[in-house]
Amino acid sequence: MAKYDKADLERRMKGAIDALKHDLSGLRTGRANTALLEPITVTVYGSAMPITSVATISAPEPRMLSVQVWDKTNIGPVEKAIRSAGLGLNPINDGNTLRLPIPDLTEERRKELAKLASSYAEKARVAVRNVRRDGIENLKADEKKKEISEDDRKRGETEVQKLTDEMVKALDEVFAAKEKEILGK
């Protein structure tokens, strides 16, 4: 049975775009939003877990986030993960709760957020290129098993590249819109 499935490749590439949109939705321009912390992973119990698996995140005030850690022993790792996430947030420890004041958006802060958005976009591009690589490898495997001809493989590779180019263009458009919002241009 043929391994190459264009619909599956397209679904996986669109998943990378959706993941980018989700990550970028957390980058707010000055207001507290719980999605800001969702991309953060915390190393607890010997494995990396999303912050939402070890704590409850809320926005009690427009410029403040609250992270209620369920297990008091995890406060340190959660605080460390937030500090090292590159979001420019400094947690204030209140026992089982971490308070995160959202700083004003200075020009420097806007540039930091734009840089973070750029790193999210690059991760999404890498994900799309990995899907492209998988598709091409599947085409080559199908050709090797004599399920498709060399011409079919080449046609398939052209289709995969065209799909990849469309998805990267869509990623770039999503990133450009968010960058424009962050930088206020």
Side-chain angles (χ1 to χ4, degrees):
M1 186 173 146
K3 286 181 156 187
Y4 173 71
D5 182 2
K6 183 180 178 187
D8 182 55
L9 294 178
E10 188 170 359
R11 179 191 57 77
R12 289 171 55 198
M13 287 182 182
K14 284 184 178 178
I17 293 172
D18 292 341
L20 175 64
K21 287 178 182 176
H22 181 267
D23 288 347
L24 292 179
S25 72
L27 296 180
R28 300 303 299 169
T29 53
R31 275 186 294 144
N33 182 352
T34 58
L36 180 64
L37 301 179
E38 287 180 6
I40 296 175
T41 56
V42 183
T43 304
V44 290
Y45 308 121
S47 64
M49 306 171 106
I51 194 168
T52 53
S53 296
V54 295
T56 302
I57 304 167
S58 62
E61 299 172 29
R63 302 193 46 78
M64 177 78 67
L65 286 173
S66 174
V67 179
Q68 179 76 38
V69 181
W70 301 326
D71 183 353
K72 194 169 186 160
T73 60
N74 293 334
I75 288 264
V78 169
E79 187 174 354
K80 182 180 175 189
I82 292 170
R83 286 187 196 278
S84 64
L87 297 172
L89 300 174
N90 291 312
I92 300 167
N93 191 333
D94 282 346
N96 276 11
T97 304
L98 295 172
R99 289 184 303 120
L100 302 161
I102 305 297
D104 289 332
L105 277 181
T106 61
E107 187 64 26
E108 182 180 321
R109 176 87 175 120
R110 288 178 188 274
K111 286 179 182 176
E112 285 176 18
L113 288 175
K115 189 184 284 186
L116 188 60
S118 175
S119 73
Y120 289 162
E122 186 54 35
K123 285 179 189 172
R125 285 186 205 101
V126 168
V128 168
R129 289 191 295 262
N130 286 340
V131 173
R132 175 189 64 192
R133 183 196 64 224
D134 293 346
I136 290 173
E137 285 175 359
N138 289 342
L139 283 165
K140 288 178 181 177
D142 290 346
E143 180 188 16
K144 194 172 189 177
K145 288 190 273 178
K146 307 279 189 227
E147 292 180 2
I148 61 172
S149 67
E150 181 180 353
D151 289 342
D152 289 340
R153 177 188 54 83
K154 287 182 180 180
R155 250 186 253 105
E157 286 178 358
T158 303
E159 275 182 4
V160 170
Q161 186 59 51
K162 183 179 175 192
L163 180 63
T164 302
D165 293 342
E166 290 172 10
M167 295 301 169
V168 168
K169 183 180 179 201
L171 283 171
D172 290 343
E173 289 170 358
V174 168
F175 167 66
K178 187 63 175 186
E179 185 179 43
K180 184 177 178 183
E181 176 191 329
I182 290 170
L183 296 175
K185 292 181 181 176

